[in-house]
């Protein structure tokens, strides 16, 4: 009993391992993984799928760099090349939060060959080209390829036409995200889709307000004192800010801005200041943002007002 | 021979290890209820994969725990001398033991299979016909492993016999993919060597009907029939070799 108590106390005294994601570094990569996981039978794709979700969640909470995100989805789609949800979820998070659209395309292109009856891989290649790389010709080509595969929904045809006609990026993007939102049971994907739709609507509103502002200045020859001066001649009404903030006229920039964007700028400045403090105290920049909390420099990382992950690279948070 | 089969079956079914393994198997099938919500909308897929994997894994455990001891106990406790004095050949004795073990596996896999099919039918709200074929595929996979464990039991002790069976199972699962990998990297000599091993080790992928269960992708009838006949032939050859070894064994 004493020995058990001593073991319990000893284990409690051990500090938690800081880098949760390191075990993924030992995950075999490339075609070798197909051989090594074979003895696990049908359980192997489920283990990797759970590992991928856990890794994604941990990195999201801790503000990590998602450095193994591509690897884990690469492995998953190798051992189960027909797993459409893995291509869908993987390509969105790799391109969006992992900020590696090229890697997402690499995985999807393998799915194009290995999963020849599914419209998902070509559709998401088109998605990455359209939204992240803004290459409309290639996006159109892959959307069209998706339409030729069985089960492709009607909106894929519309998107192919959008891409070829170079219809405004925002309109097509809103359509894609809203379809992803409607057609998935994956809560994380739903949240990502909703966040992106809100961001796009916010940009749409800002463009609308700033166009009205330019017309006002051109015709009146002066700057407005308040946003309400633009109603009803230059804008119909003040739109509701999708993230709960407000639209403000910023005379220094001579444009309308969203208070949500101002808040993001403030938080980023605050985090960069604290990163500087960390560097002075420990002599190096933290590997991940949550190290600021772990080492007591700040109490918590303020949540990103858009629900996104802070883009932390080489000791600086950038927008 | 009928007595040997029944005796071997009765002995195995009474073994407490079997009950423990079965209980774990059932718990594993239902484990997706707990893990399911963590899978981001893939609960049914997880339930299918974990359930099918459990039938295979716990079937393998039963083969390892019980199969290896079936012959060892008879030899160790010298009860086989008594049996062999009756009008029964050594080959019939081995075949009887193999059939008895096969019946045990059949019964346990069917119990787990019925629980699994009922569970996923409840989850999906419709009877999962494809799951029947997937479960039958697993039973045939286990039949091949029964042949291997009986062969191992004729010349190895239970511990080494278990190691041998695990080794054969792992290599049997890896070799088909390893051949593709060797060809992909253009190591043709390695691919040829592996192809020779492919004829010796059991290729369980012929009986893997997961694609049908998870993705509803139809599997050609020829492939299904080939898989079943391959498993039967392979098991028969293993039992035949085991019988030949046992006939020459100095008891």
């Amino acid at each position: 009993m004493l020995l058990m108590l001593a073991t319990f106390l000893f284990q409690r005294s051990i500090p938690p391992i800081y880098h949760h994601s390191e075990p993924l570094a030992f995950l075999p990569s490339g075609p070798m993984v197909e051989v090594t996981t074979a003895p696990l039978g049908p359980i192997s794709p489920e283990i990797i799928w759970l590992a991928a979700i856990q890794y994604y969640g941990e990195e999201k909470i801790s503000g990590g760099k998602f450095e193994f995100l591509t690897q884990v989805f690469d492995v998953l789609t190798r051992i189960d090349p027909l797993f459409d949800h893995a291509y869908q979820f993987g390509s969105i998070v790799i391109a969006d939060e992992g900020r590696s659209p090229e890697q997402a395309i690499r995985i999807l292109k393998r799915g194009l060959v290995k999963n020849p009856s599914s419209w998902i891989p070509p559709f998401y290649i088109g998605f990455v080209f359209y939204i992240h790389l803004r290459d409309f010709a290639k996006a159109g080509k892959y959307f069209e390829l998706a339409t030729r595969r069985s089960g492709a929904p009607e909106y894929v045809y519309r998107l192919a036409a959008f891409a070829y006609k170079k219809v405004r990026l925002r309109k097509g993007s809103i359509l894609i995200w809203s379809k992803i939102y409607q057609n998935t049971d994956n809560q994380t994907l739903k949240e990502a889709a909703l966040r992106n739709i809100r961001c796009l609507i916010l940009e749409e509103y800002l463009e609308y307000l700033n166009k009205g502002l330019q017309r006002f200045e051109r015709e009146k020859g002066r700057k407005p004192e308040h946003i309400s001066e633009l109603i009803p001649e230059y804008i119909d009404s003040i739109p509701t800010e999708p993230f709960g903030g407000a639209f403000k006229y910023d005379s220094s920039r001579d444009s309308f801005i969203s208070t949500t964007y101002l808040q993001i700028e403030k938080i980023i400045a605050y985090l960069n200041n604290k990163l500087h403090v960390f560097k002075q105290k420990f002599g190096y920049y933290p590997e991940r943002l949550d190290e600021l909390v772990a080492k007591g420099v700040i109490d918590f990382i303020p949540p990103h007002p858009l629900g996104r992950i802070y883009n932390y690279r080489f000791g600086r948070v950038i927008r | 021979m009928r007595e040997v089969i029944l005796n071997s079956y009765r002995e195995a079914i009474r073994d407490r290890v079997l009950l423990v393994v079965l209980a774990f198997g059932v718990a594993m099938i239902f484990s997706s209820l707990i893990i399911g919500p963590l899978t981001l909308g893939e609960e049914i897929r997880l339930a299918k994969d974990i359930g099918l994997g459990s039938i295979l894994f716990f079937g393998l455990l039963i083969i390892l725990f019980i199969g290896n001891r079936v012959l060892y106990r008879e030899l160790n406790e010298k009860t086989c001398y008594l049996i062999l004095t009756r009008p029964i050949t050594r080959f019939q004795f081995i075949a009887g033991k193999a059939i008895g073990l096969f019946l045990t596996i059949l019964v346990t896999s069917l119990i787990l299979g019925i629980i699994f099919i009922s569970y996923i039918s409840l989850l999906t709200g419709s009877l999962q016909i494809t799951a029947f074929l997937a479960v039958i595929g697993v039973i045939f996979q286990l039949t091949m492993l029964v042949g291997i464990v009986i062969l191992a039991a004729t010349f190895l002790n239970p511990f080494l016999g278990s190691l041998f069976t695990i080794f054969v199972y792992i290599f049997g699962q890896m070799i088909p993919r390893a051949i593709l990998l060797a060809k992909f990297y253009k190591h043709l000599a390695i691919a040829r060597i592996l192809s020779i091993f492919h004829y010796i080790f059991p290729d369980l992928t012929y009986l893997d009907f997961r694609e049908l269960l998870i993705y509803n992708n139809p599997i050609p009838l020829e492939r299904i029939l080939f898989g079943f006949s391959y498993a039967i032939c392979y098991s028969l050859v293993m039992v035949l070799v085991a019988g030949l070894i046992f006939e020459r064994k100095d008891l």
Side-chain angles (χ1 to χ4, degrees):
Chain A
M1 283 297 279
L2 269 172
L3 200 64
M4 274 179 73
L5 186 70
T7 313
F8 172 73
L9 290 173
F10 173 68
Q11 290 210 352
R12 273 197 57 156
S13 69
I14 300 171
I17 295 168
Y18 183 68
H19 297 292
H20 312 285
S21 53
E22 272 181 357
L24 282 182
F26 301 103
L27 194 67
S29 59
M32 194 62 201
V33 76
E34 295 171 50
V35 179
T36 48
T37 56
L40 289 171
I43 298 172
S44 57
E46 300 309 323
I47 294 173
I48 306 290
W49 174 239
L50 287 170
I53 295 167
Q54 191 189 353
Y55 173 71
Y56 170 75
E58 277 178 5
E59 291 291 282
K60 191 165 176 154
I61 291 166
S62 61
K65 289 186 250 175
F66 294 98
E67 50 192 322
F68 297 114
L69 201 58
T70 306
Q71 192 190 348
V72 75
F73 278 101
D74 181 66
V75 164
L76 180 59
T77 50
R78 271 180 196 280
I79 58 176
D80 192 353
L82 304 180
F83 193 179
D84 275 343
H85 194 174
Y87 290 112
Q88 183 196 29
F89 184 63
S91 61
I92 290 175
V93 294
I94 291 169
D96 201 27
E97 282 156 314
R99 295 182 174 89
S100 310
E102 293 82 8
Q103 293 299 326
I105 288 175
R106 184 177 62 79
I107 292 172
L108 287 163
K109 278 193 174 166
R110 207 178 49 245
L112 205 63
V113 181
K114 298 250 180 176
N115 194 2
S117 58
S118 169
W119 61 274
I120 295 280
F123 174 75
Y124 280 94
I125 298 177
F127 161 87
V128 177
F129 272 123
Y130 192 87
I131 287 185
H132 295 280
L133 300 173
R134 304 191 176 196
D135 185 334
F136 301 112
K138 281 189 180 156
K141 183 183 137 194
Y142 284 102
F143 285 143
E144 199 189 337
L145 185 60
T147 62
R148 279 192 248 129
R149 293 192 171 184
S150 66
E154 157 280 328
Y155 62 84
V156 180
Y157 292 82
R158 263 196 288 160
L159 279 167
F162 272 22
Y164 279 134
K165 283 186 207 155
K166 293 183 185 168
V167 171
R168 278 191 319 145
L169 177 74
R170 217 172 283 143
K171 195 176 170 188
S173 304
I174 290 174
L175 176 68
I176 296 177
W177 282 117
S178 55
K179 291 299 171 187
I180 291 172
Y181 180 83
Q182 285 164 14
N183 295 307
T184 184
D185 294 328
N186 180 335
Q187 271 310 314
T188 311
L189 266 192
K190 268 195 190 296
E191 281 165 24
L194 198 61
R195 188 179 65 230
N196 279 291
I197 293 168
R198 282 179 175 161
C199 284
L200 290 162
I201 292 173
L202 178 61
E203 282 167 26
E204 188 83 13
Y205 286 165
L206 279 173
E207 195 182 302
Y208 168 70
L209 289 172
N210 285 321
K211 270 187 187 165
L213 175 73
Q214 281 166 9
R215 269 184 56 218
F216 178 94
E217 287 179 346
R218 231 181 7 249
E219 288 176 21
K220 305 259 177 181
R222 66 174 175 91
K223 290 171 183 176
E225 278 171 21
H226 194 264
I227 191 167
S228 56
E229 276 188 68
L230 271 71
I231 304 170
E233 263 183 88
Y234 302 96
I235 57 169
D236 296 332
S237 60
I238 304 165
T240 312
E241 212 265 12
F243 289 95
F247 292 109
K248 257 174 67 176
Y249 175 66
D250 185 343
S251 55
S252 63
R253 301 181 206 204
D254 190 24
S255 64
F256 282 107
I257 51 156
S258 152
T259 52
T260 308
Y261 282 166
L262 283 179
Q263 203 188 341
I264 294 170
E265 281 171 16
K266 262 190 203 168
I267 295 172
I268 289 176
Y270 164 76
L271 288 173
N272 282 329
N273 179 32
K274 292 297 174 188
L275 285 164
H276 188 63
V277 172
F278 187 99
K279 169 85 169 40
Q280 281 182 333
K281 209 169 164 183
F282 300 101
Y284 65 94
Y285 283 113
E287 211 177 298
R288 305 148 65 106
L289 274 183
D290 62 348
E291 226 176 315
L292 288 173
V293 182
K295 297 266 170 81
V297 177
I298 53 175
D299 293 335
F300 65 95
I301 299 167
H304 195 294
L306 302 183
R308 284 185 179 279
I309 289 158
Y310 293 107
N311 190 2
Y312 175 59
R313 295 281 188 274
F314 315 113
R316 274 192 75 74
V317 177
I318 48 173
R319 255 196 90 172
Chain B
M1 190 171 147
R2 196 166 154 263
E3 280 72 34
V4 179
I5 296 171
L6 286 175
N7 201 34
S8 163
Y9 170 72
R10 262 188 237 118
E11 226 175 90
I13 221 88
R14 279 185 203 141
D15 202 317
R16 278 187 195 164
V17 172
L18 190 76
L19 275 178
V20 175
V21 173
L22 259 179
F24 273 108
V26 174
M28 186 89 168
I29 289 172
F30 288 109
S31 67
S32 64
L33 278 175
I34 301 162
I35 316 167
L38 309 173
T39 59
L40 301 181
E42 291 292 333
E43 291 91 343
I44 290 171
R45 189 195 135 90
L46 179 97
K48 287 179 177 176
D49 268 341
I50 297 274
L52 199 63
S54 303
I55 300 170
L56 177 64
F57 178 70
F58 288 100
L60 178 64
L61 278 190
I62 292 169
I63 289 172
L64 294 179
F65 284 136
I66 296 172
N68 268 306
R69 286 188 302 174
V70 169
L71 208 60
Y72 184 76
R73 207 184 286 158
E74 299 273 12
L75 292 172
N76 208 30
E77 292 169 12
K78 312 225 184 301
T79 43
C80 69
Y81 298 114
L82 204 67
I83 300 165
L84 291 172
T85 52
R86 291 178 186 180
I88 182 170
T89 63
R90 287 192 184 190
F91 180 77
Q92 283 174 323
F93 176 73
I94 284 290
K97 286 284 171 196
I99 297 169
L101 183 62
F102 166 71
L103 284 178
T104 315
I105 287 297
L106 184 69
V107 169
T108 49
S109 303
L110 281 177
I111 293 171
L112 287 177
I114 289 165
I115 294 170
F116 164 64
I117 293 164
S118 319
Y119 173 57
I120 58 161
S121 298
L122 270 173
L123 279 184
T124 52
S126 62
L127 185 68
Q128 295 288 303
I129 308 282
T130 52
F132 279 105
L133 188 65
V135 171
I136 292 169
V138 171
I139 293 173
F140 274 93
Q141 286 179 332
L142 292 169
T143 308
M144 286 200 271
L145 297 172
V146 166
I148 288 159
V149 87
I150 290 292
L151 172 69
T154 54
F155 63 95
L156 292 169
N157 66 36
F159 176 71
L160 289 176
S162 297
L163 279 186
F164 178 82
T165 312
I166 292 173
F167 172 81
V168 171
Y169 167 76
I170 291 174
F171 269 69
Q173 291 275 52
M174 285 167 90
I175 285 173
R177 291 183 190 185
I179 293 171
L180 291 177
L181 185 68
K183 282 182 183 165
F184 177 79
Y185 285 122
K186 301 205 171 18
H187 292 307
L188 296 179
I190 296 174
R192 252 177 247 130
I193 294 166
L194 287 170
S195 300
I196 297 167
F197 283 113
H198 189 219
Y199 290 115
I200 303 165
F201 288 90
D203 185 347
L204 303 183
T205 53
Y206 291 133
L207 292 146
D208 181 3
F209 303 134
R210 178 178 174 270
E211 211 176 304
L212 175 74
L213 175 69
I214 308 282
Y215 301 111
N216 269 327
N217 281 0
I219 295 174
L221 184 68
E222 307 92 74
R223 200 194 124 189
I224 298 171
L225 293 177
F226 174 77
F228 290 162
S229 8
Y230 169 75
I232 294 166
C233 292
Y234 191 91
S235 316
L236 286 178
V237 169
M238 287 298 113
V239 175
L240 195 73
V241 176
L244 288 174
I245 294 173
F246 195 65
E247 281 200 344
R248 279 160 183 73
K249 200 174 171 92
D250 194 12
L251 292 175

